[in-house]
Amino acid sequence: MRVTLSWLREHVDLPGDLGADGLEKALVKVGLEVEEMTDTGAAVEGPLVVGRVESIEELTGLKKPIRYCLVDVGGEQPQGIICGARNFAEGDLVVVALPGAVLPGGFAIAARKTYGHVSNGMICSGRELGVSDDHDGIIVLPADTAKPGDEARPLVGLDDVVVEINVTPDRGYCFSVRGIARELSHSLGGAYRDPVAAIVPLEGDGTEAYRIDVRDSIACDRFTAVAVRGVDPAAATPKWMKDRLAVAGIRSISLPVDITNYVMIELGQPMHAWDLAQLTGPLVVRRAAAGEKLTTLDGVQRVLDPQDIVIADDTGVVSLAAVMGGTTTEVSPTTVDVLLEAAHWDPLSVARTIRRHKLPSEAGKRYERGVDPQITAAACARAAALLAQYGGGTVERKVTDVYAVQPPAPVTMALSRPSELAGIDYTPERVLEVLAMIGTQAEVTGGTVTVTPPSWRHDLNDPADLAEEILRIDGYDRIPSVLPIAPPGRGLTATQRRRRTVGRALADAGFVEALNYPFVGTATLDAMRIPDGDPRRDLVLLRNPLSDEEPGMRTTLLPPLLAALRRNVGRGQRDVALFEVGMVFLPRGPIAVAPAAGVAGPPPAEELAAADALLPHQPWHVAAVIAGDAQPAGWWGAGRAADWADAVEAARLAADAAGVELSVRPAAEAPWHPGRCAALLVGDTVVGHAGELHPAVCADLDLPRRTVAMELDLDLLPVPGAWPAPRLSSFPTALIDVALDVDVTTPAADVEATLAEGAGPLLESVRLFDVYAGAQLGAGRKSLAYKLTFRAPDRTLTGEETLAARDAAVALAAERHGAALRGA
């Protein structure tokens, strides 16, 4: 929203010496964000004066029309100036930048010879001075407004301050001079004059200006219209209005349209001008029918949605309500009878229509933030009076005003609430004073106040909103900056420590942590070959997702983690190892709407319990993915590509950091390769899976071949108690290798667990170091080689003790798995 200081002064008493810096501080004081502040008086440096054109000589023989003008600039002799504009004549008053002036953009003016003449200055257009976008001709001042040599800055608006404010969604009333002036009165204490109060109201005779049929009072709860007949189609928009519209960034189109835009900037009420001669039958406000089309004023034919609010007559849809009108009923150069419309539309419906059609507009920006429903009649009266004054039309005494506005709901607040929030004392008198300043009606009962918000403040719906207004108007600068004292605590919980330990262990092992958005779509689940009926397909869907392709919350960490892997590989990273520790979201059943909770105090325990029961189950998972080489190649030898064993090892590493030992079983689980997938168990509970991804999954997700991954449910891992300190022995170890011939389907982990059980308490560790399969073993057989480490805590083991423990371990393996000791 861009507006001039001079326009604001018409509605609020401001200090005479208020400049750009003071204006900015005053606006910031009441919480308005100043985007840009421009002192137009400093835009042009040096002499800028009024000149009178004494004579014009047309130069011939050139590629374009050029004039050599003698201009009286108040000196002893007229100055010769070259100019290419054609919109002025002898005797006209013009604006002249004399040598030594510097125009916006650093354009310096100097005397120079051109087209065979010396040009001592420049006759300026609006664009060259930065006061408008008009460059079709130079500025011609009205006769007798000044004399040659007078300072030209005040005459062209270069003695003003232009402020641009970034209006936040909750402050839509500041999308107008009316709203900003009111805020300045709060900030600086000057008297405020509401422009609505100065408007002469419409005096209807009881008949309708035009038949309006509002069929959806939720979409439109007020529609006001008045007709102005006999308007001069050639009537020009006055310069002062054009200048103010130009500052606001709105180009001049025609007098009726310019007036509606001017009233919108002044009062904040968007309007629309209809050509009465082009309307057929009553105007109907309704929702669009499926398949209806409308060509809007920008020349684009649009297919309408059934949720769009439209205005139609007997010919069909003629306007996309609150956003943009249609071409068939727009005001044209031949329009003499104009119907002026001011209405109040549902902000949510307008916002959705703007985004649906990608059609932002100045009117739409105001409607979607909410406008004052009580000023539609005043806006029509103001626009009709201006059109009659400058267009020569006659305002009919017929007024249409369809009214279904619901009064704002009262809000009750404790008078002590602002003090409790800010930490400083606001007296009840000050609270009531501020509430009166912002236009509310307040009624005090004991220690509380019941407030009816004004019609232009749609954002005051809660006691916290009222308290914030007290803080804002009284001054945020009065609130001290005091850091709160942190309450004593017990540090991290056991589960928090475990999550951090797991992440640190994976990072120490060379994995890079990735933090991904927790969103997923069914297309990714299809590519991962997740079957129908799998719990991972039961997604918690978002009402307003960031992307229509990912409308659900993730049930597994792998989809976003694999997408991060793909992006890294696509950007040239050949060897990638990523991990993530995060929550997944598993619905507990149909999701209902949570009960509404106020902000006046903490909600009761039963409300918290009811809301918590509606939340999906959110367990913490850890996942890791690897592509490329697990060990790089170099002068030391060949590298090693990552395989399913690295994914299992990553899972073991995470579990070990969590204080849990995993066992491994063969499994077939999407999205892993059915022959290279392991189920990860704690006891008899499956807590995750690891292995190589299915080749089809890698192809569909554009991943490197043989990408491996693991995922663990951390919440299923038992939280260990206090870990006993390890007992260290100073006695030497005894090492024995055993190679066992077993069936090829026997899991190595099962054999390892059996050896550990059979060896007894003297066994310190067992480690698989070789797997072999070959013709000499026979079909369906494999050899598993383990290194057994024995140690006693209190003595040096004898050879007999070590061999006895080894034999017991091998015997139990033979009994359970049919293992035979190779070389025996």
Side-chain angles (χ1 to χ4, degrees):
M1 173 69 185
R2 298 178 79 242
V3 66
T4 60
L5 177 59
S6 60
W7 198 353
L8 293 170
R9 287 184 183 275
E10 295 180 6
H11 304 294
V12 60
D13 290 339
L14 300 175
D17 59 350
L18 184 66
D21 291 342
L23 178 60
E24 181 175 8
K25 291 177 182 177
L27 292 171
V28 171
K29 180 181 177 182
V30 288
L32 293 177
E33 181 181 341
V34 177
E35 192 79 13
E36 184 180 3
M37 187 75 67
T38 304
D39 187 347
T40 60
V44 178
E45 301 176 10
L48 187 71
V49 300
V50 175
R52 185 184 303 280
V53 181
E54 297 288 337
S55 65
I56 300 175
E57 178 186 349
E58 302 287 348
L59 303 183
T60 59
L62 302 174
K63 294 182 178 179
K64 58 181 181 179
I66 296 295
R67 292 169 150 186
Y68 178 66
C69 309
L70 289 179
V71 183
D72 179 6
V73 293
E76 296 181 358
Q77 298 292 331
Q79 299 296 314
I81 300 175
I82 293 291
C83 184
R86 315 288 298 175
N87 67 316
F88 64 99
E90 294 179 356
D92 284 344
L93 293 179
V94 295
V95 179
V96 180
L98 295 176
V102 180
L103 302 186
F107 185 69
I109 305 299
R112 63 190 181 94
K113 187 173 183 179
T114 179
Y115 299 109
H117 295 78
V118 175
S119 182
N120 284 306
M122 180 172 134
I123 304 175
C124 302
S125 70
R127 183 189 296 177
E128 289 161 344
L129 294 178
V131 297
S132 73
D133 292 330
D134 186 7
H135 196 57
D136 295 334
I138 56 93
I139 297 174
V140 178
L141 300 173
D144 301 326
T145 56
K147 64 181 185 297
D150 285 353
E151 176 65 42
R153 284 177 175 82
L155 303 176
V156 294
L158 286 177
D159 61 342
D160 213 340
V161 175
V162 177
V163 58
E164 181 175 357
I165 298 173
N166 183 19
V167 181
T168 54
D170 61 330
R171 306 287 288 279
Y173 63 94
C174 286
F175 253 128
S176 65
V177 174
R178 180 193 187 207
I180 298 174
R182 182 185 286 110
E183 291 299 317
L184 279 177
S185 73
H186 300 334
S187 179
L188 297 175
Y192 171 66
R193 296 175 294 278
D194 191 345
V196 172
I199 297 173
V200 178
L202 295 170
E203 294 185 3
D205 60 4
T207 59
E208 293 182 328
Y210 200 85
R211 176 60 181 165
I212 309 295
D213 182 8
V214 178
R215 298 180 181 176
D216 190 338
S217 60
I218 301 300
C220 176
D221 56 11
R222 190 169 189 186
F223 196 110
T224 307
V226 63
V228 181
R229 297 185 181 272
V231 176
D232 180 5
T237 302
K239 182 180 181 303
W240 62 267
M241 186 180 293
K242 284 185 178 181
D243 292 343
R244 287 183 169 180
L245 291 176
V247 168
I250 299 176
R251 65 183 179 91
S252 176
I253 297 175
S254 65
L255 179 61
V257 176
D258 290 351
I259 287 174
T260 60
N261 286 330
Y262 179 81
V263 173
M264 175 180 68
I265 300 298
E266 182 181 52
L267 304 182
Q269 172 63 57
M271 299 188 65
H272 186 67
W274 305 82
D275 186 341
L276 269 170
Q278 303 301 321
L279 294 177
T280 305
L283 291 178
V284 179
V285 177
R286 58 174 173 82
R287 301 283 179 171
E292 279 190 303
K293 297 179 180 180
L294 171 68
T295 301
T296 48
L297 291 175
D298 57 357
V300 178
Q301 186 181 65
R302 303 180 185 277
V303 179
L304 304 179
D305 186 271
Q307 292 301 314
D308 292 335
I309 312 172
V310 299
I311 303 176
D313 65 2
D314 290 349
T315 64
V317 177
V318 293
S319 175
L320 192 57
V323 180
M324 189 172 288
T327 56
T328 59
T329 57
E330 67 175 318
V331 173
S332 68
T334 61
T335 300
V336 293
D337 296 331
V338 178
L339 181 68
L340 295 171
E341 164 221 321
H344 183 255
W345 307 94
D346 174 47
L348 184 59
S349 297
V350 173
R352 288 174 174 170
T353 297
I354 291 173
R355 285 151 183 76
R356 188 181 299 120
H357 294 282
K358 298 180 174 62
L359 189 60
S361 65
E362 289 294 326
K365 284 193 296 187
R366 288 161 174 81
Y367 278 127
E368 68 180 348
R369 287 166 171 82
V371 300
D372 186 352
Q374 302 300 335
I375 64 168
T376 58
C380 283
R382 173 69 165 152
L386 288 172
L387 190 55
Q389 179 181 356
Y390 294 101
T394 301
V395 181
E396 286 192 341
R397 295 194 61 190
K398 300 177 180 180
V399 179
T400 300
D401 195 359
V402 180
Y403 189 96
V405 178
Q406 297 297 318
V411 180
T412 301
M413 177 188 73
L415 287 170
S416 60
R417 182 66 171 162
S419 300
E420 294 170 356
L421 289 177
I424 61 176
D425 184 36
Y426 296 104
T427 64
E429 292 76 17
R430 179 57 176 163
V431 171
L432 296 175
E433 179 187 2
V434 172
L435 291 176
M437 287 171 60
I438 63 175
T440 67
Q441 297 178 4
E443 182 179 341
V444 179
T445 304
T448 64
V449 57
T450 300
V451 174
T452 301
S455 57
W456 61 85
R457 293 301 301 269
H458 305 275
D459 56 312
L460 302 181
N461 303 306
D462 197 273
D465 299 330
L466 298 176
E468 182 183 4
E469 286 298 288
I470 307 301
L471 274 59
R472 181 177 70 89
I473 299 300
D474 192 73
Y476 289 131
D477 55 335
R478 293 192 58 231
I479 303 174
S481 298
V482 179
L483 292 176
I485 299 175
R490 299 179 180 179
L492 300 175
T493 64
T495 55
Q496 288 173 329
R497 287 196 301 271
R498 179 172 66 180
R499 291 197 294 266
R500 296 192 181 192
T501 302
V502 168
R504 191 177 301 113
L506 290 172
D508 290 345
F511 289 81
V512 177
E513 185 172 13
L515 300 177
N516 300 297
Y517 288 117
F519 309 124
V520 69
T522 55
T524 303
L525 299 180
D526 293 340
M528 292 175 63
R529 303 301 194 271
I530 306 296
D532 293 337
D534 191 296
R536 289 172 291 177
R537 278 195 170 272
D538 193 6
L539 301 179
V540 176
L541 299 179
L542 301 174
R543 286 183 178 271
N544 189 23
L546 293 180
S547 169
D548 291 338
E549 296 178 356
E550 294 179 333
M553 303 296 288
R554 66 188 177 192
T555 54
T556 165
L557 297 183
L558 289 181
L561 195 57
L562 291 173
L565 174 70
R566 181 176 63 248
R567 282 193 297 273
N568 279 272
V569 172
R571 285 160 175 77
Q573 300 295 324
R574 302 184 62 181
D575 306 320
V576 184
L578 303 177
F579 81 94
E580 181 174 9
V581 179
M583 287 188 294
V584 298
F585 304 86
L586 309 175
R588 295 170 174 168
I591 297 178
V593 178
V599 295
E606 56 272 16
E607 286 189 10
L608 286 175
D612 186 63
L614 298 175
L615 293 175
H617 181 45
Q618 302 173 52
W620 283 82
H621 283 204
V622 58
V625 294
I626 314 173
D629 288 343
Q631 297 175 357
W635 57 266
W636 51 84
R640 181 180 67 81
D643 61 14
W644 65 269
D646 293 291
V648 174
E649 182 59 25
R652 289 186 184 276
L653 186 66
D656 184 64
V660 175
E661 185 176 355
L662 292 178
S663 59
V664 180
R665 296 284 186 275
E669 179 83 1
W672 287 276
H673 190 298
R676 297 168 187 163
C677 174
L680 310 173
L681 297 90
V682 175
D684 295 328
T685 303
V686 177
V687 297
H689 293 84
E692 180 183 317
L693 296 182
H694 195 288
V697 172
C698 293
D700 289 351
L701 295 180
D702 198 20
L703 300 171
R705 294 178 61 251
R706 313 204 74 165
T707 296
V708 300
M710 77 85 181
E711 183 168 8
L712 280 176
D713 186 338
L714 288 178
D715 283 7
L716 290 180
L717 303 183
V719 179
W723 290 7
R727 299 181 61 185
L728 302 179
S729 174
S730 59
F731 294 94
T733 60
L735 305 177
I736 297 181
D737 294 345
V738 295
L740 301 177
D741 183 353
V742 298
D743 188 87
V744 71
T745 61
T746 303
D750 290 354
V751 177
E752 180 179 316
T754 300
L755 290 175
E757 179 183 347
L762 296 178
L763 182 68
E764 185 174 84
S765 67
V766 56
R767 180 175 65 86
L768 176 69
F769 68 87
D770 185 50
V771 179
Y772 170 75
Q776 56 184 316
L777 291 177
R781 306 295 291 178
K782 65 180 177 181
S783 173
L784 303 176
Y786 297 89
K787 184 176 292 295
L788 307 180
T789 302
F790 296 93
R791 190 196 320 246
D794 55 352
R795 67 187 187 282
T796 300
L797 291 175
T798 64
E800 290 78 8
E801 289 177 305
T802 304
L803 291 175
R806 181 207 65 179
D807 292 342
V810 172
L812 188 58
E815 177 186 343
R816 291 185 179 177
H817 308 294
L821 183 64
R822 292 187 64 197

